Amino acid sequence: RKQGKARAPTPKPKELVTMATAAATNNDNMVKLPPVQFIEDVDAYMKGKEPDAALGEIQEKYQTFKLLESRLLQSRNRMLGKVPHIEKAIDMVDLLLAKETASDQITVDFELSDHVYTKATIKKGTNCVYLWLGANVMVEYSLSEAKALLEQNKRNAKQNIDNHEKDLNFVRDSITTLEVSLARVYNWDVMQRRSKGEGSK
């Protein structure tokens, strides 16, 4: 009876790291990357590998993480820019709530565009506001509903910023590790070439 050849064990795939921003938003489109391992033993790492191919592989990972860092920075800066606008809207709603039962009209500075304001008068007894939701959509809310929504948006924005900071720390650590790996593999290649050159003399 013939025995079948023993199969080699399937290598265990590296666990992918899910970005905090992806986990918070259930965004499957966010890049999931394997953790970058520090190359402690360059000789063992380079066994059976061509230096140019190894350097190219590390360089490719490096470029991937640099691109991700740029995307995260842009997204975080957008979030940072939103928070002051949300806080201004909350202050305005608080003012309207405080003056909701007042008999006097309210005069405020209304922003027409960046750094351009005009005086505006809000009628007494105003009990609703209109909020931009994005995509050219504006919805009417009562003052209490508007405040609750804006407070929730503020919490979401700050949580989003925290998630971006966590991801940026992970990405920056990975970039540093890859930069060190590039230098170690390059220096190893130089030493190998030098030793071969001296041996051929």
Side-chain angles (χ1 to χ4, degrees):
R1 185 178 180 182
K2 293 183 180 180
Q3 294 182 348
K5 294 182 179 179
R7 293 184 178 180
T10 304
K12 185 179 180 181
K14 293 182 179 179
E15 183 179 354
L16 297 178
V17 175
T18 302
M19 301 285 97
T21 45
T25 59
N26 294 321
N27 182 5
D28 292 332
N29 294 325
M30 174 62 78
V31 177
K32 295 182 180 181
L33 300 169
V36 175
Q37 301 295 330
F38 177 72
I39 303 175
E40 294 185 9
D41 188 344
V42 183
D43 287 326
Y45 176 80
M46 292 300 298
K47 189 173 182 180
K49 295 181 180 179
E50 290 293 330
D52 289 343
L55 287 169
E57 181 183 351
I58 298 172
Q59 184 68 33
E60 184 178 352
K61 290 180 181 179
Y62 175 79
Q63 293 298 334
T64 299
F65 275 97
K66 288 296 289 183
L67 178 61
L68 183 56
E69 180 189 31
S70 176
R71 287 171 53 191
L72 287 170
L73 282 171
Q74 292 175 2
S75 182
R76 185 199 62 176
N77 290 340
R78 285 196 298 270
M79 288 291 107
L80 287 171
K82 285 182 179 180
V83 173
H85 292 288
I86 295 174
E87 290 175 340
K88 283 183 180 180
I90 291 173
D91 291 340
M92 189 68 238
V93 172
D94 285 339
L95 176 63
L96 292 174
L97 283 168
K99 300 288 186 178
E100 190 174 8
T101 57
S103 58
D104 299 330
Q105 294 180 335
I106 307 171
T107 301
V108 297
D109 294 322
F110 181 76
E111 185 177 9
L112 296 174
S113 61
D114 290 342
H115 310 298
V116 178
Y117 293 83
T118 187
K119 293 293 182 181
T121 301
I122 301 175
K123 295 180 180 180
K124 58 184 179 181
T126 298
N127 56 14
C128 65
V129 293
Y130 291 87
L131 299 180
W132 284 108
L133 301 184
N136 296 323
V137 175
M138 179 181 279
V139 178
E140 179 182 355
Y141 291 94
S142 68
L143 295 179
S144 57
E145 290 173 338
K147 182 171 182 180
L149 177 61
L150 291 168
E151 292 284 3
Q152 183 62 48
N153 289 347
K154 181 180 176 182
R155 287 192 294 270
N156 291 343
K158 289 191 172 182
Q159 182 61 54
N160 215 334
I161 292 169
D162 290 341
N163 290 336
H164 277 71
E165 292 293 344
K166 292 176 184 177
D167 288 346
L168 279 168
N169 289 335
F170 165 73
V171 169
R172 285 166 175 163
D173 287 344
S174 299
I175 288 172
T176 300
T177 302
L178 288 167
E179 287 173 342
V180 174
S181 297
L182 275 171
R184 287 172 64 84
V185 172
Y186 176 81
N187 291 336
W188 180 90
D189 184 35
V190 170
M191 294 297 294
Q192 293 296 313
R193 293 175 187 272
R194 185 177 298 170
S195 62
K196 289 179 181 179
E198 292 176 352
S200 61
K201 290 182 180 179

